[in-house]
Coordinates of all heavy atoms in Angstrom, one line a residue:
Chain A
D217 N -12.5 12.8 -3.8 CA -13.9 12.8 -4.0 C -14.7 11.6 -3.4 O -15.8 11.8 -2.9 CB -14.3 13.0 -5.4 CG -13.9 14.3 -6.0 OD1 -13.7 15.3 -5.2 OD2 -13.9 14.4 -7.3
M238 N -0.7 3.0 10.2 CA -0.7 3.9 11.3 C -2.2 4.1 11.7 O -2.5 4.3 12.9 CB -0.1 5.2 11.1 CG 1.4 5.1 10.6 SD 2.4 4.3 11.8 CE 2.6 5.5 13.0
T260 N -14.8 15.3 2.1 CA -13.9 14.8 1.1 C -12.4 14.9 1.6 O -11.5 14.8 0.7 CB -14.1 15.4 -0.2 OG1 -13.9 16.9 -0.1 CG2 -15.5 15.2 -0.8

Side-chain angles (χ1 to χ4, degrees):
Chain A
D217 289 342
M238 306 300 285
T260 58

